[in-house]
Amino acid sequence: MSVPLPKPLAALGTATGAALLLLAAPAAVGAAEPVESVSVVPAGTVAADGTVTLSGTYRCSGGVGPVLVSSSVRQTPDGPRRGIGGTLARCDGLEHTWQNTGRVPTGTVEPGAAQVEATVMEMRPQGGLPLPHFHAVHEQDVTLTATD
């Protein structure tokens, strides 16, 4: 046979039970996963010999295979994209800077307005084959200035 508790004791028991449930909950509940991103500085350089330099920041997490920050540039909306190097990335959830330099055929990229695409891509092993996994992609209008 159970004896009913007085109301103040019943309320205290309910509050204590709720507090214990909150303490038992995993700390990760409600903790946001780091946001994966890549950005591009809106200014880059192009040399007379076709060497283009672009830069920005990135953040990624959970990488299990090699991860690269790649970039490409084009100067007309329907023109070809020209690959501009790649930087090895660390996917530790922290923000890092990247800078890529690559050489394109002389005269194909000129000082002025351009569009840059930066991508954080990982080669994840799946079934014995490395397959691409994209962490972040960003397009940015930039201004390329001439450098010697």
Side-chain angles (χ1 to χ4, degrees):
M1 172 163 98
S2 66
V3 176
L5 294 173
K7 285 188 182 184
L9 287 178
L12 179 61
T14 302
T16 303
L20 288 173
L21 283 175
L22 287 174
L23 289 175
V29 172
E33 190 68 29
V35 174
E36 298 192 317
S37 63
V38 63
S39 71
V40 178
V41 172
T45 61
V46 58
D49 69 354
T51 301
V52 177
T53 301
L54 306 167
S55 61
T57 63
Y58 72 91
R59 178 188 311 254
C60 61
S61 60
V64 295
V67 182
L68 294 173
V69 180
S70 64
S71 58
S72 63
V73 63
R74 70 176 172 191
Q75 288 194 295
T76 59
D78 56 349
R81 287 197 174 276
R82 307 277 180 184
I84 308 298
T87 300
L88 192 59
R90 289 181 291 173
C91 284
D92 57 8
L94 302 175
E95 185 172 86
H96 300 280
T97 59
W98 63 270
Q99 180 176 1
N100 291 344
T101 299
R103 193 167 175 186
V104 298
T106 305
T108 59
V109 175
E110 303 284 333
Q115 185 182 51
V116 170
E117 180 178 276
T119 304
V120 180
M121 187 202 59
E122 174 181 0
M123 295 305 290
R124 280 193 179 166
Q126 291 198 334
L129 295 174
L131 296 177
H133 171 79
F134 295 93
H135 287 269
V137 177
H138 179 69
E139 289 187 13
Q140 174 75 44
D141 290 334
V142 301
T143 301
L144 298 174
T145 57
T147 186
D148 295 327

